[in-house]
């Protein structure tokens, strides 16, 4: 079936109304909507509006708590820890990031932890916020509270999840912010869901089936318990695996969050914990010099002759900017399965499928 293509303004209106019907106050619905639609615009459909049906299910199951306020449980100089109390992660992580930005501007550095948060979505959102404030940031995130779906290097079954990492640099005047933001699994689980919804296979070397053998069938990841799911492999073999391990410990254990260790409950749906380190580079070096070096390095890297003439060398953040420009102009494609799931979620939230479709399309 063909994709539906929608303008971002309409999609924002439909998603915000859906989330408000599900019980969110206007601010919460607005922040979650902006996060999701921006993820779609930036080409990360895995973390876009397609997540809404899962959120509505989590609300109904009592796993995602609405209208929570971030509770600071540690506030000690540059160190901050916020308990999200299973609230909407897009709001909780943004509020923590804003506190960390203010602290880094005051003290030169902030080391901030977010614990017990529902899904925080695209981690780059928080990195971009830091970069827009002229700061540098490092983010380590774990994914706990549900079964483990990513296999360690040399392993055959899930022992952790897609544990993303994000690193950012501010704009220079010549260059926009550099935003590196990725899952440590070979592909994000949401991208496996998108492939399943589109009836497509995933690239070889990405998934293992329940017996630990390579497969390209995304359906192996979406079996209900007690059936055993397959597992995604880490990117870069031992290197991605090593980064995932550090994201698990830095992102959760170091800030008092829930790790994936088997003695912890796996009944929360999804729990994200995050460590973010935000640095004011002006406290370390001369900003003109830093910006000059960023520009020189980016120009030098980009001048490498491309292997394929239509695929020039990019830097992290470029693909998202290119996608955003194209989708602002042409609209956001939404596959038919996701569209059907959104209509069903609108019914479940009390908005109604017809009203949602009228607003969003
Ligand atoms: P990905 O594999 O698409 O990689 C994205 C990163 O690589 C971006 O920084 C992008 O700018 C950069 N990039 C892509 N092509 C490039 C090129 N040719 N040259 C230079 N840089 C390039 O991302 P992913 O692993 O699929 O992750 C997608 C999103 O999922 C991320 O935003 C991540 O934060 C999010 N995520 C969230 C969770 C969670 O639990 N909240 C878990 C996993 C992933």
């Amino acid at each position: 079936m063909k994709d539906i293509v929608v303008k971002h303004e309409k999609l924002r209106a439909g998603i915000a109304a859906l989330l408000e019907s599900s019980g969110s106050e206007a601010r919460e619905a607005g922040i979650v909507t902006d996060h999701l639609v921006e993820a779609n615009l930036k080409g990360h459909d895995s973390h876009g509006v397609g997540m809404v049906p899962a959120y509505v299910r989590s609300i109904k199951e009592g796993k995602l708590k609405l209208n929570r306020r971030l509770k600071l449980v540690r506030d000690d100089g540059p160190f901050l820890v916020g308990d999200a109390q299973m609230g909407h992660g897009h709001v909780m992580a943004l509020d923590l990031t804003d506190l960390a930005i203010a602290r880094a501007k005051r003290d030169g550095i902030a080391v901030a932890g977010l614990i017990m948060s529902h899904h925080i979505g695209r981690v780059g959102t928080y990195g971009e916020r830091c970069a827009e404030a002229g700061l540098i940031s490092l983010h380590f995130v774990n994914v706990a509270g549900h079964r483990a779906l990513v296999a360690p290097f040399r392993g055959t079954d899930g022992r952790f999840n897609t544990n993303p990492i994000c690193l950012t640099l501010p704009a220079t005047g010549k260059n926009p912010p550099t935003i590196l933001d990725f899952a440590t699994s070979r592909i994000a689980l949401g991208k496996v869901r998108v492939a399943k919804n589109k009836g497509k296979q995933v690239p070889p070397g990405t998934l293992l089936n329940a017996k630990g053998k390579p497969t390209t069938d995304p359906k192996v990841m979406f079996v209900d318990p007690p059936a055993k799911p397959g597992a995604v492999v880490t990117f870069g073999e031992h290197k991605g695996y090593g980064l995932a391990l550090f994201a698990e410990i830095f992102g959760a254990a170091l800030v008092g969050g829930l790790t994936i260790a088997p003695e912890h409950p796996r009944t929360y749906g999804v729990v994200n914990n995050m460590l973010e380190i935000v640095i004011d580079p002006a406290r370390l070096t001369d900003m003109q010099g830093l910006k000059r070096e960023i520009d020189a390095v980016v120009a030098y890297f980009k001048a490498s002759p491309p292997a394929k003439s239509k695929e020039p060398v990019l830097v992290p953040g470029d693909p998202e900017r290119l996608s955003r420009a194209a989708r602002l102009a042409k609209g956001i494609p939404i596959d038919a399965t996701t569209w059907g799931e959104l209509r069903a979620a609108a019914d479940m939230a009390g908005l109604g499928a017809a009203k949602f479709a009228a607003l969003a399309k």
Side-chain angles (χ1 to χ4, degrees), residues 19-348:
L19 292 171
E20 283 196 46
S21 293
S22 76
S24 285
E25 291 165 358
R27 175 179 187 259
E28 181 167 280
I31 291 174
V32 178
T33 298
D34 282 345
H35 183 120
L36 298 174
V37 176
E38 282 295 322
N40 285 113
L41 282 172
K42 288 172 181 153
H44 292 287
D45 295 330
S46 55
H47 288 70
V49 298
M51 291 303 299
V52 169
Y55 297 160
V56 173
R57 275 197 305 278
S58 290
I59 294 165
K60 298 285 174 206
E61 290 166 1
K63 292 173 177 167
L64 166 53
K65 313 283 186 197
L66 296 178
N67 305 314
R68 288 279 153 104
R69 304 278 178 271
L70 185 71
K71 187 173 153 204
L72 270 192
V73 292
R74 189 177 292 271
D75 183 354
D76 173 14
F79 301 102
L80 295 164
V81 177
D83 182 352
Q85 309 160 76
M86 292 313 292
H88 260 302
H90 310 83
V91 180
M92 298 293 156
L94 196 70
D95 285 350
L96 180 82
T97 302
D98 283 346
L99 289 174
I101 288 171
R103 200 59 58 99
K105 287 200 161 171
R106 190 188 79 185
D107 296 345
I109 187 164
V111 182
L114 180 72
I115 58 172
M116 290 310 287
S117 178
H118 199 267
H119 195 224
I120 64 171
R122 198 184 143 255
V123 182
T125 308
Y126 317 108
E128 286 162 1
R129 191 95 164 174
C130 297
E132 279 155 18
L135 304 171
I136 279 169
S137 66
L138 301 85
H139 310 252
F140 298 87
V141 177
N142 88 325
V143 192
H146 66 72
R147 58 191 176 173
L149 294 166
V150 181
F153 181 60
R154 295 187 171 187
T156 53
D157 65 358
R159 296 289 155 148
F160 49 90
N161 284 299
T162 51
N163 293 4
I165 291 177
C166 173
L167 308 174
T168 74
L169 291 170
T172 61
K174 254 192 201 162
N175 281 292
T178 308
I179 311 286
L180 179 64
D181 167 33
F182 55 73
T184 46
S185 52
R186 186 78 195 279
I187 55 174
L189 200 61
K191 288 187 175 151
V192 186
R193 170 177 53 78
V194 172
K196 179 188 70 91
N197 284 353
K198 291 185 169 178
K200 290 192 172 157
Q201 299 288 295
V202 297
T206 311
L207 290 184
L208 304 174
N209 65 20
K211 292 187 174 141
K213 301 287 178 214
T215 179
T216 55
D217 179 2
K219 292 200 287 297
V220 300
M221 300 308 299
F222 300 93
V223 294
D224 288 326
K228 190 179 169 208
V232 189
V233 303
T234 54
F235 83 90
E237 301 179 326
H238 56 288
K239 302 178 190 182
Y241 164 52
L243 287 174
L245 186 146
F246 273 87
E248 189 70 37
I249 302 299
F250 282 2
L254 185 60
V255 293
L258 190 76
T259 71
I260 195 72
E263 55 266 39
H264 299 310
R266 292 192 174 162
T267 49
Y268 286 102
V270 56
V271 177
N272 274 152
N273 301 281
M274 170 166 70
L275 168 74
E276 53 185 10
I277 302 171
V278 186
I279 302 167
D280 181 356
R283 301 287 286 267
L284 277 171
T285 188
D286 152 53
M287 284 305 287
Q288 291 310 321
L290 173 64
K291 288 180 179 179
R292 203 172 48 241
E293 288 303 319
I294 294 173
D295 288 338
V297 166
V298 167
Y300 184 57
F301 286 12
K302 284 192 165 180
S304 179
K308 292 183 186 165
S309 61
K310 288 195 176 134
E311 293 183 3
V313 172
L314 303 174
V315 292
D318 283 345
E320 287 74 18
R321 282 185 282 273
L322 291 168
S323 169
R324 192 171 191 278
R327 288 184 169 191
L328 280 176
K330 291 189 189 145
I332 297 170
I334 298 186
D335 67 82
T337 305
T338 301
W339 185 253
E341 287 174 359
L342 282 168
R343 289 177 55 103
D347 274 337
M348 205 194 284

